[in-house]
Amino acid sequence: MRDWSLVSLSVLFGLTARWAVSLSSYSGAGKAPMFGDYEAQRHWQEVTYNLPVEEWYFNTSDNNLLYWGLDYPPLTAYHSLLCAHIAQLINPDWISLHTSRGYESISHKLYMRATVMAADLIVYIPAVLLYSLYFSEGSSKKKVSTMLCMLLYPGLILIDYGHFHVCFPQHWNTYNCVSLGFALWGVLGLALGWDLCGSLAFCLALNYKQMELYHALPFFCYLLGKCTREGLTGKGLTHLLKIAGTVAASFALCWLPFLADPAQALQVLRRLFPVDRGLFEDKVANTWCSLSILVKVKNLLLPQTQLRLSASHTVCVLCLQCIPIVFVSAVHPHTWLFFWLFSVHPHCLCALPVCLLISEIPFMSTWFLQVTTFSMLPLLLKDGLLLPYIVTSLAFLLISITLLSALEQTSEEDLKLKQLFTCRRKHMPWFNAPLLAKSGYILSVLCMAVLSFLSAALSPPARLPDLFPVAISLFSYVHFVGFLIYFNTIHLTELPSKKTEKKTN
Amino acid sequence: MAALTAVSWSCFLTLSIGVSLLKCLLITTYHSTDFEVHRNWLAITHSLPVSQWYYEATSEWTLDYPPLFAWFEYGLSHIAKYFDKEMLVIQHLNHASPATVLFQRLSVILTDIVFIYTVRECCRCVNGRKESKELLEEPAFILAMLLLWNFGLLIIDHIHFQYNGFLFGFLLLSVARLLQNRHLEGALVFAVLLNLKHIYLYVAPAYGIYLLRSYCFTKSAPDGSVQWSSFSFTRLVALGTIVCSVFAVSFGPFITMGQLPQVLSRLFPFKRGLCHAYWAPNFWALYNAVDKALSILGLKLKLLDADGASKASMTGGLVQEFRHTVLPSVSPLTTFICTLVSITPAVLCLWRKPQGPRGFLRCLIICALGSFMFGWHVHEKAILIAILPLSLMAVDNRRDAGIFIILTTTGHLSLFPLIFTAPEQPIKILLMLLFTIYSLASLQRLFRKEGSLLSWLEAVYLTGLVPLEVFCEVVYPLTSWQQTLPFLPLLLTSVYCALGVTYSFFKLYLSMLTEPEGMQKRKDQ
């Protein structure tokens, strides 16, 4: 069959799955007074449409920041404004100031879902198409399989199209497809060698969601490394300056309305990084879900210590990974993707880079993606998304096993562990990596199934109300540590060989 | 000819699990009144003795399927009580608790296993192509995809709500058995099917004639005509025993209770109008449209009396009777005769020169289409009786593939009005695109050496469906016609689709009557 039809079928299939998930029950509904993320998005449309730019980030009589105040970078606000203008054409009640609070109706829900779908179609899906068709390896059939797998990654679908409410205020929201899509465009730009376009796209991602900062360091290191290679005194310097200029210009463009008055810009920053409100600790504790669970279990560490611990942890891991990228020259885009896996952040954000590895290491990436989806189970349960969760996870498992034949790609070669094991083999001849990996995978999938079933079907004992969420977090945490070690290992051991291999291309 | 190797078997499994997962995602979608119909039947069969089943009339949705289907509901009701006991109370009209929805939806998804098994059997009947190396170009794979992922089945069963997958499983299974020359099994399965849903009576002539001609007569004369001396009485008795015993099991209890007239009156209600609430794209749609056009023309030219002209809109969404203004009104008897006339040549052809199981399959499709074209109160869903068996022939030769494309596209599009709620619109359109693009691309690829599937005129006609749909779904709601001409989108869609369906009907007929001998021989080899 011709490629175009397979590609269009995959895209249609991805869209069908997305829309089918978006039909699922509307759980944030009626939960006054705060409602959920859905209401937050609607409220931002209301605020951006009705108030002048200067008031968007300020607490005024018309803009109560305690009620879902805008705390995302300007690009998100502009997006809300655009959506609001369209909403105004359809039904002005949806965004009328004050009176529209907690507005809920079927047609409005449809409208919100449609905006997500539109954003997805414009930003994320084309990037996935381009990436999987031009930058992944293998036959055209394999490329299409990779694409389908990336499009059907359950985590992103469930977060963007399922309905999340008051869990993780600030961090989890719809429209993840936009920021991740822009980040992906950034990767594509760098992969094509268009560094300026790449950095522009990534700046847009940063200006859409400050969470993208997690991804920023590898971008920075990669570009810095490239400039160093060209010679920091001559060509490299101009290149660096050009990139810096692009970044500065794109930031300036995004922040234009707020730059006139320094107070404005400061207020926006304060909203984005609310350090002074003392919320930071809470949120990090939240985000560092697994870690905080450990703390909860042991009940030993104070929140402050915990914060410091997590921060230092991140920095350590980051340094470990970023140092080589600056010094090792001639890094191929594929290789540096490994760098993205730097935090124990068990969510979508680090799922994107792993998505990009699907065609290279299908076994490990699909396993990892499966675990990330599983780690969100407590939240999904709270939102009544059990059915879509089960269906999409099973579908993802099915696709990864049949289309990508993930289970068969467990040889040392496939796992990129060959170098490591050649020296190891002398000492441990009994060590059978494929068998170990395969049985580990099956065991872990079984565990996930059992835990999912238990937490959905049984009510926990009265003494331990959080038993299942804790178990799930712990389970995922163990996996993430394992994956962290694994991806770091292959990253550090694979670099030299990759370098020579890719240079010839 | 087992075209299923180990690889394609795992692929088949993937396809069927994949589509089942998609069905699960559709659990929360809108469901039509058929949902309540089936809930009511669950309640009736569960809480009443058999003697009351066909008399119960608390709900307007009385039991109007044959007894075996009632027994099927009875069986289901014993699982249903573990989900929600409330749904089994007759008085609880429109009971749709989440557990009820889950149970009913899951029952459809799980009984579809029959369909999946059948599709596998059908795939085994397909000739594998030696020259194709790629799995995606394997006819058996394409057939599995066309059947399992059939757009019509997906939206009717899993959004609109009905048990067609399971029933079509029986139909295709009997077809597959006949293709495999296991005639008695085929007859048994078809007899069971008739007692599950009597709409399949439409295709019964094809079965009757084929079994009589090709099974009870063991030999044909050299020129293909009947050799009377080869009649095997034992075969006829075996066939008769099987069919009669199935009917005896099903209707026997009601005959002994003396309820047969009551059961039959429930099964064949002739009170309903010529056309169903939404017009099926058949001959009567064209007939009504011509009548409408003539009456408007007549009013303009002052040839008709304005008071006499019935202003009733035929597609107001209710099952209602409709009097024609200019053309003569149509009675059930007329439609019956028309149907009979339309299928007679095909049946005669099957009798005079049977062309093996393939000839039977063609005749079956013509019977289904003929009754769809001329039947009384035809549901647009009935087009599936033609579409699904036609899939079997579409992967076999190019001409049928072309007919298949036209018939499925128009037939499926005419199903669009069934799903009218806003949240389901994107799903409907996406699934339709998925199926249409897949069938076009894969069949074109399969027969790429034999030229294009569609002539330019057919291609233009099919492309015309896009602006038509855009007009009906997007432009029309914005215009003032919504008040003055409420039936316009349905009328346009059904008339436009009726053209395609009629065209494929005639094309299919032509291919049956003129099937060249050479083609026939090639297939027998």
Side-chain angles (χ1 to χ4, degrees), chain A residues 1-2 5-6 8-9 12-13 15-17 19-21 23-24 110 141 387-388 391 394-395 398 402, chain B residues 14 17-18 21 24-25 27 29 134 136-137 149 422-423 426-427 430-431 433-434 437-438 441-442 445:
Chain A
M1 179 147 9
R2 271 182 226 129
S5 60
L6 279 181
S8 53
L9 287 176
L12 283 173
F13 196 67
L15 290 178
T16 312
W19 195 264
V21 167
L23 292 176
S24 53
L110 267 180
K141 225 157 121 195
L387 185 77
V391 172
L394 283 180
L398 184 76
T402 54
Chain B
T14 311
I17 296 176
L21 289 174
C24 289
L25 267 190
I27 284 180
T29 52
E134 220 183 327
L136 288 179
E137 289 172 23
W149 287 76
I427 294 257
L430 287 169
L431 284 176
L433 281 177
L434 257 178
I437 291 179
Y438 178 79
S442 62
R445 190 79 180 148

Side-chain angles (χ1 to χ4, degrees), chain A residues 3 57 74 132 134 149 172 185 244-245 269 294 319 402 436 464 495:
Chain A
D3 286 341
Y57 287 92
S132 52
Y134 293 100
C149 230
W172 292 108
W185 278 111
L269 276 178
L294 274 185
C319 291
T402 54
L436 206 67
L464 300 164
L495 271 180

Side-chain angles (χ1 to χ4, degrees), chain B residues 187-236:
Chain B
L188 172 72
V189 173
F190 186 67
V192 171
L193 176 68
L194 276 185
N195 283 292
L196 281 168
K197 191 171 178 177
H198 50 299
I199 193 170
Y200 296 98
L201 268 176
Y202 284 134
V203 296
Y207 273 90
I209 297 296
Y210 176 70
L211 285 171
L212 201 64
R213 176 68 182 79
S214 299
Y215 181 68
C216 296
F217 288 93
T218 49
K219 262 188 228 144
S220 287
D223 64 336
S225 60
V226 191
Q227 197 172 15
W228 294 98
S229 59
S230 69
F231 182 72
S232 156
F233 190 67
T234 40
R235 286 191 171 192
L236 183 67

Side-chain angles (χ1 to χ4, degrees), chain A residues 453-472:
Chain A
F453 174 77
L454 286 181
S455 46
L458 301 182
S459 52
R463 225 159 34 85
L464 300 164
D466 285 336
L467 177 67
F468 295 125
V470 169
I472 289 171

Side-chain angles (χ1 to χ4, degrees), chain A residues 73 75-76 178-186 198-213 215 219 251 254:
Chain A
L75 215 51
T76 300
V178 178
S179 57
L180 292 180
F182 277 132
L184 191 50
W185 278 111
S199 36
L200 171 69
F202 189 72
C203 287
L204 292 180
L206 263 180
N207 278 309
Y208 197 86
K209 220 162 240 194
Q210 65 268 41
M211 289 284 279
E212 287 296 327
L213 272 176
H215 287 163
F219 267 92
F251 262 87
C254 289

